[in-house]
Amino acid sequence: MTTAHVDVVIVGAGPTGLIAAGDLARAGRSVTVLERRPTINPSSRAFVTMARTLEVLDARGLADDLLARSHRAPGVTLFGGARIDLTHLDSPYQFVMITPQTNIDRALAEYAVVQGADLRRGVEVVDLAADPDGVTVTARSHGDGSVNETRWRASYLIAADGAHSTVRKLVGADFPGRTILSSIVLADVKLAHGPTGHGLTVSSTQKVFAFLAPYDARDADGAWYRAMVWDRDNQLPDSAPAGYAEIAGVLARSMGADPGLLEVGWKSRFHCDERQVEQYRHGRVFLAGDAAHVHSPMGGQGMNTGIQDAANLAWKIDAVLGGADDAVLDTYHDERHPIARRVLLQSGLMARGITLYPRIARGMRNLLAPRLLRIPKVRDAIAGSFAGTTLRYPHRSGEASLVGTRASRIPVRQGHIAELQRTGCFVLIRENGAPVVDAGRLPQAERADTGPALLVRPDGYIAWAGDSADRFAWAATLARWTGQSGAERLSCQTR
Ligand SMILES: Cc1cc2nc3c(=O)[nH]c(=O)nc-3n(C[C@H](O)[C@H](O)[C@H](O)COP(=O)(O)OP(=O)(O)OC[C@H]3O[C@@H](n4cnc5c(N)ncnc54)[C@H](O)[C@@H]3O)c2cc1C
C-alpha cells in the first residue's frame, strides 16, 4: 500500500472540516479531506447562522452570496413574549441568517476546493497511528465490488468527523455528558397561517414545543418554515418516522391555534446530547466541531461553534508548520474549550427553559424573562452571547484589554477589515493619521476612528494594541504567534 504525504489530513467534510481545509490551502499548505459519504450530507440540520460566523464567512468572501439566498431574522421570540433582539448587535450583521446547512456545506466545499484542498469523498478513516513526527491514517473506499485501503501521512490531523467521531475513539478520548432531549422532529413545513413576523418563534405548553424559522419562500397558499417540534408524551427512537399528523398536532397544540399545515418536506427525528471532550489536543491530532462538543440545537450554536473552532485552529497549524513554537497549538484548546463549555451551558439553559414543566416555574419564567430581556444591558449581553459577538479570548497580564476581542467592527479608511483578512494573513491597522510603517508584506490599513494601532490575527481577533511606530512591540507579538522575527517572511498567501 502506498502512502501519500501531505501537511494536514482532515477527517470529515462537514462545515468544520471544510473551512479548516480552505484556510490551510489558502495559506499554501497541502491538505487532504477524507469524507466517508460519497456526496454532500443531504440532511439539512443547522438552519441558523449567527453574526460572528457571518463575519468569519465574510473574511473568506463567502457571506454575500449566502445572504443573497437566505432569510434574515432580526430576533427570536421565546416564552411569554420574551424576545432575543439582535438588532442592536455590535456587528454588520444585526440578524441571524436562516438557510439550510446544505447551502453552507456547499459554499464551504467550494471554498476548500478553489483554495486547493484535495477533497476525497467516499473515503472512510478506519485507523490512525500517531508518533512524535506525524500521523498516519488508514482509510477505506469501495469501488468495483472491492474494498480499497489507502494510507495518508501528515504532520497534523484535524478530526472534524462529527458527533460519533471515529478519530476521537481512536485517540481514546472520552466524550462525557448525557442525552437531554429525545424525539425532536425537525422538518421543512408549509403553513397556511404561520407566524407573520420575520423572526424566529418558539411556542410551548407544559407538554409540547414548536420552534419555527421562516425561509423566504412563499407560495399563493402559504409560506415555508423550518420547524422543530417536540411532544413530552410521544417519545420515540430516532429511527421512528415522523408523520404529518404528529407534526400538525404538535404545531397546533403549542401555538394554541391550527397554523394550517399544507405540506411537509424533508423531515427527521433526533435526540440531543450535551457532551464535551476534556482535551481538544492529542499530540498532533486536534478535535474540532461536533467531534469535540455537542449540545442542544435550541441555541443554534453547533455549526457556528465548529466553524469558529476551525478558523481558530487552521492558521495556528499553518504558523507552526512555518516555524512557530509548538506551544501556539496549545492555545487552540485554551481558547476554544471554554467557549464550547459556555455554549453547552447556554443552549442547555434555553432547552430547559423551553421545556420547563412545573406550572409555577413556567409562570415565573413568563413573567420575568420578557422584563429582563427589555433591559438594554441584559438584552445586548444575551444577544451578543448567542451571536458570538461578545465572546472573547483571554489576554495575558500586561496586554491591552482589547487583546482577544474581535476586530471586525473597527472602521478602516479604505474598505473593510474583512477584505484585508481574505489574504489569510495577520493585518496591521495603524492609528488614524499614522504613516505607513515598514512591515514587509504584512497587509496594513489605517483606522477611520480613534484608538490604538492593532495587530489582527488571521481569525479576526486582536493580538496586540499599541503604537504602530513601536515596531519592536508589534513585531514581537507577531514573532510569538508565527515564529517569524519580522514581517518580511510572513507566512500567508502574499509570500
Ligand atoms: C436538528 C439539528 C438542528 C441544528 N441546528 C443548528 C443551527 O441552527 N445552528 C447551528 O450552528 N448548528 C445546528 N445544529 C448542529 C450542526 O448541524 C452541527 O453542529 C454541525 O453539522 C457540526 O459540523 P461538523 O463539521 O463538526 O460535523 P458534521 O457536520 O457532523 O460533519 C462530520 C463529517 O464527518 C464525516 N465522517 C464521520 N466519520 C468519518 C470517518 N471515519 N471517515 C471519514 N469521514 C467521516 C461525516 O460523514 C460527516 O460528513 C443542528 C443539529 C441538529 C441535529
Side-chain angles (χ1 to χ4, degrees), residues 300-437:
Q301 300 284 318
M303 177 188 72
N304 287 280
T305 310
I307 286 176
Q308 290 168 49
D309 286 347
N312 182 288
L313 176 60
W315 71 268
K316 293 175 180 172
I317 292 182
D318 170 51
V320 173
L321 284 167
D325 195 300
D326 178 80
V328 165
L329 291 172
D330 292 334
T331 67
Y332 166 62
H333 170 91
D334 297 344
E335 293 185 340
R336 295 304 302 171
H337 191 277
I339 300 276
R341 199 171 50 220
R342 181 168 160 178
V343 167
L344 247 79
L345 181 74
Q346 186 172 275
S347 48
L349 276 175
M350 190 151 165
R352 289 172 181 90
I354 290 169
T355 56
L356 206 58
Y357 188 72
R359 204 174 290 279
I360 294 178
R362 291 177 71 83
M364 291 293 284
R365 178 199 72 181
N366 292 356
L367 187 75
L368 291 178
R371 285 176 171 73
L372 277 173
L373 281 165
R374 275 197 292 272
I375 302 169
K377 271 196 172 164
V378 177
R379 173 197 71 198
D380 295 344
I382 291 181
S385 186
F386 272 99
T389 51
T390 51
L391 302 180
R392 57 164 302 156
Y393 298 139
H395 61 85
R396 299 170 159 204
S397 71
E399 282 181 333
S401 61
L402 277 173
V403 172
T405 61
R406 61 196 234 295
S408 35
R409 280 303 267 173
I410 308 286
V412 290
R413 285 237 171 262
Q414 283 186 327
H416 300 285
I417 290 188
E419 287 158 7
L420 292 163
Q421 288 190 304
R422 290 178 194 161
T423 59
C425 297
F426 273 77
V427 175
L428 184 66
I429 314 284
R430 304 185 310 277
E431 305 86 337
N432 191 347
V436 172
V437 295

Side-chain angles (χ1 to χ4, degrees), residues 1 79 91 111 141 193 205 242 250 255 257 288 311 350 444 482 490:
M1 196 188 328
F79 24 75
S91 169
Y111 167 64
S141 55
H193 316 293
T205 68
V250 178
M255 295 168 79
M350 190 151 165
Q444 291 188 45
T482 66
L490 192 68

